[in-house]
Amino acid sequence: MKFYSSLQIGDYHDLHCEDDLLIKKISSNKIVCAVMDGCSTAMDSHFASTLVGKLLRKIITECGYKELYEKDIQRNPDEQLKEIVKDLFKEMSFLKKSLMLDEKELLTTLIIMLYDSAENKGIILSIGDGVVCVSGNITEFDRDNKPDYLAYHLHENFEDWYNSQHQKIFFDQLEDVSIATDGILTFSKVKKTVSEETINCIEYLMKDQNYEDTEEMLNKKIKKLEHHYGMKPTDDLAIIRLIKGPQPNM
């Protein structure tokens, strides 16, 4: 499996990148990927996305240890993702109270994917806005720029909240999967270039496989979009892509 990622500050942002991303293995055959987008109109939005990334890293590490001691318990990707999100829900609720955080300090979207290579099955859950591409099929989760943030629901019963989540994609026989924050929708012509060619930036980043032999594939593509086409994301962008095959050259 080849893993690629890129985190870019938007052309309209000056101080902080408000997005974050995470790629973390639970075990040799299970991996979790996540992209987060902090709410620009909230408080310290870079803090919210980064905090969720840190909490997920902790939770996934603990999942790995748990699997070592519970080898007889088999969880499918759907069940295991639910456990991870449940732990995130608990951790965020605890920190909100213990640090006396305002709800506006915890507003971030989350697209999280769990893939089990042994079963060759995976699941993607989108909490808020973002874009997903599975085997060339692009799905845009758009809530009219009014995401239903996880932080809005920390006072609720987790089971009730989770059962109401319908922005899920199940997949098997993984060939090529990408998840991205909605910054991928904001590529605009921001500089003049010699070339007058046009390009579909979403398809170029999520479907085109040029540069797949290097782990810098996405960064190279983003540089080419800027310098050859004059295109840059005006909003922050976090993107992760998995392509079936051996690891790219390091």
Side-chain angles (χ1 to χ4, degrees):
M1 189 65 60
K2 306 174 188 176
F3 309 106
Y4 311 93
S5 66
S6 185
L7 185 63
Q8 303 285 326
I9 188 168
D11 204 53
Y12 291 175
H13 288 191
D14 295 323
L15 297 177
H16 302 286
C17 179
E18 297 168 355
D19 289 9
D20 201 5
L21 58 80
L22 174 77
I23 302 173
K24 179 75 174 173
K25 286 188 174 183
I26 298 175
S27 61
S28 60
N29 61 290
K30 293 180 182 177
I31 189 166
V32 176
C33 302
V35 293
M36 290 73 66
D37 177 8
C39 175
S40 297
T41 58
M43 299 166 59
D44 297 331
S45 50
H46 61 285
F47 166 77
S49 58
T50 303
L51 176 65
V52 168
K54 302 290 187 187
L55 290 175
L56 284 173
R57 184 178 65 186
K58 170 182 178 289
I59 291 164
I60 294 163
T61 299
E62 291 171 347
C63 283
Y65 289 130
K66 187 184 295 185
E67 288 210 344
L68 291 175
Y69 295 102
E70 298 178 354
K71 294 181 179 180
D72 296 332
I73 300 176
Q74 299 297 318
R75 300 176 181 84
N76 63 42
D78 191 13
E79 293 169 336
Q80 190 145 38
L81 182 66
K82 181 180 178 180
E83 287 187 10
I84 290 171
V85 176
K86 185 175 183 178
D87 287 343
L88 177 64
F89 198 92
K90 290 178 180 178
E91 293 278 3
M92 289 182 68
S93 299
F94 172 76
L95 286 177
K96 185 176 185 292
K97 294 175 184 177
S98 62
L99 298 180
M100 294 186 288
L101 297 173
D102 190 286
E103 183 180 85
K104 292 182 179 179
E105 294 178 275
L106 293 171
L107 299 185
T108 180
T109 65
L110 170 64
I111 299 181
I112 183 168
M113 172 176 66
L114 192 153
Y115 174 66
D116 184 338
S117 60
E119 292 189 17
N120 203 1
K121 292 181 179 180
I123 178 175
I124 300 170
L125 170 66
S126 176
I127 305 172
D129 298 341
V131 180
V132 172
C133 183
V134 179
S135 299
N137 297 311
I138 295 174
T139 301
E140 179 183 340
F141 295 108
D142 182 8
R143 302 182 65 95
D144 195 26
N145 209 27
K146 297 177 183 177
D148 189 21
Y149 296 109
L150 173 62
Y152 289 159
H153 303 278
L154 296 178
H155 63 284
E156 298 176 14
N157 176 273
F158 172 79
E159 293 292 335
D160 293 340
W161 171 81
Y162 192 82
N163 290 335
S164 71
Q165 301 304 300
H166 301 298
Q167 295 188 158
K168 294 180 182 178
I169 296 176
F170 298 88
F171 62 91
D172 53 22
Q173 304 301 317
L174 184 148
E175 295 293 336
D176 192 342
V177 176
S178 302
I179 57 175
T181 57
D182 64 359
I184 199 171
L185 303 171
T186 68
F187 275 88
S188 301
K189 187 88 170 180
V190 298
K191 60 191 295 186
K192 291 183 179 181
T193 56
V194 175
S195 174
E196 295 297 324
E197 295 178 81
T198 60
I199 189 170
N200 184 316
C201 298
I202 299 174
E203 292 188 358
Y204 183 58
L205 293 173
M206 294 185 134
K207 295 172 68 173
D208 180 273
Q209 294 191 357
N210 282 325
Y211 308 127
E212 68 168 316
D213 59 338
T214 170
E215 65 174 0
E216 292 297 313
M217 178 184 77
L218 290 173
N219 289 323
K220 283 190 171 186
K221 285 178 177 287
I222 289 170
K223 287 295 183 185
K224 184 172 181 178
L225 287 172
E226 177 184 355
H227 297 295
H228 185 77
Y229 297 95
M231 306 285 287
K232 292 182 68 177
T234 56
D235 192 10
D236 301 333
L237 169 63
I239 178 171
I240 296 172
R241 187 169 173 183
L242 275 62
I243 299 178
K244 184 178 181 180
Q247 284 280 34
N249 296 329
M250 307 297 277

